């Protein structure tokens, strides 16, 4: 089971559909995929000024609550599913939500994969497993990514994509970029 969280879509709606190349591929490989719409038109916009870890925290908290709700509803509606191997995947702001969820509820998930989350620090833990694909143009804030020693200690995988910018991880990705992202994602899920 994969629960996907989209990047910031300025509350226009439909941002959860901006990664169909990924979600459809996962479904074609036999994964149950839930792509969560985190933003509503009536939500306040994501603050673009101030320290992101402070001013965006309430947005990430709401996102983590959304993920918890989706997981709870799936358990109620489909108790036969495998809830021992829940994987969270998120891009950008959705990756920050994913990382926060892993900090708060590590016992509910088996892995997280972030696509260029930049603000919320990745957990330094072996459980859940932590994987991250990084863009070529947007650096993460200080402390977000584990050091080389932490990556080794906790078996965290961080891979930089030299030919993919941050905004090309959604449907804007070229065919070669899509293939590369999907390839890494499938390797992470099989690990």
């Amino acid at each position: 089971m994969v629960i996907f969280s989209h990047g910031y879509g300025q509350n226009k709606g439909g941002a959860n559909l901006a990664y169909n190349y990924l979600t459809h591929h996962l479904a074609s490989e036999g994964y149950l995929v839930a792509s969560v719409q985190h933003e509503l038109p009536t939500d306040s916009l994501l603050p673009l000024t101030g320290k992101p870890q402070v001013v965006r925290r309430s947005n990430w908290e709401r996102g983590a609550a959304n993920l918890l709700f989706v997981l709870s509803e799936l358990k109620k509606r489909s108790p036969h599913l495998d809830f021992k191997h829940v994987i969270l995947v998120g891009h950008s702001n959705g990756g920050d939500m994913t990382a926060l969820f892993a900090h708060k509820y590590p016992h509910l998930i088996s892995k997280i994969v972030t696509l260029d989350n930049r603000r919320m620090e990745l957990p330094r833990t072996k459980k859940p497993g932590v994987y991250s694909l990084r863009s070529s143009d947007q650096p993460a804030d200080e402390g977000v990514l584990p050091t080389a020693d932490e990556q080794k200690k906790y078996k965290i995988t961080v891979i930089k994509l030299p030919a993919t910018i941050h905004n090309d991880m959604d449907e804007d990705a070229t065919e070669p970029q899509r293939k590369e992202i999907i390839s890494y994602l499938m390797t992470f899920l099989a690990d």
Side-chain angles (χ1 to χ4, degrees):
M1 177 184 321
V2 174
I3 302 176
F4 189 88
S5 296
H6 60 82
Y8 182 53
Q10 300 174 332
N11 303 0
K12 294 176 183 169
N16 63 316
L17 303 175
Y19 302 84
N20 285 339
Y21 79 95
L22 270 179
T23 57
H24 289 180
H25 182 83
L26 289 167
S28 76
E29 293 287 334
Y31 287 91
L32 173 90
V33 181
S35 187
V36 181
Q37 177 62 49
H38 285 287
E39 303 166 6
L40 299 174
T42 55
D43 290 340
S44 55
L45 294 173
L46 191 67
L48 301 178
T49 58
K51 186 175 180 182
Q53 292 81 359
V54 174
V55 299
R56 296 182 183 182
R57 182 68 183 228
S58 63
N59 179 275
W60 303 336
E61 291 283 354
R62 186 177 67 234
N66 289 344
L67 293 170
L68 188 61
F69 175 80
V70 167
L71 192 53
S72 175
E73 284 299 306
L74 286 169
K75 284 181 179 179
K76 282 188 227 172
R77 296 176 187 195
S78 302
H80 63 283
L81 295 173
D82 177 7
F83 290 96
K84 291 182 182 170
H85 299 98
V86 175
I87 301 160
L88 300 184
V89 179
H91 175 233
S92 192
N93 194 56
D96 291 325
M97 293 172 185
T98 295
L100 178 60
F101 189 95
H103 280 286
K104 294 179 75 153
Y105 310 106
H107 59 287
L108 296 178
I109 54 178
S110 62
K111 297 177 186 177
I112 67 166
V113 180
T114 66
L115 308 177
D116 220 31
N117 72 300
R118 296 181 49 220
R119 311 298 185 185
M120 181 69 207
E121 74 176 32
L122 292 174
R124 273 55 167 186
T125 181
K126 288 183 182 178
K127 174 74 172 96
V130 178
Y131 304 83
S132 187
L133 293 177
R134 312 308 306 170
S135 73
S136 61
D137 69 326
Q138 297 288 330
D141 290 349
E142 187 175 332
V144 168
L145 299 177
T147 64
D149 287 342
E150 289 171 329
Q151 289 176 46
K152 185 176 179 181
K153 178 180 179 180
Y154 298 111
K155 298 182 180 176
I156 295 170
T157 302
V158 177
I159 296 176
K160 187 168 185 172
L161 303 177
T164 302
I165 63 171
H166 182 84
N167 290 337
D168 283 354
M169 291 182 155
D170 60 10
E171 292 297 307
D172 290 336
T174 64
E175 194 58 33
Q177 289 169 327
R178 291 177 185 204
K179 285 181 179 177
E180 182 179 42
I181 291 168
I182 287 170
S183 176
Y184 277 120
L185 182 58
M186 297 312 295
T187 300
F188 298 159
L189 299 186
D191 187 18

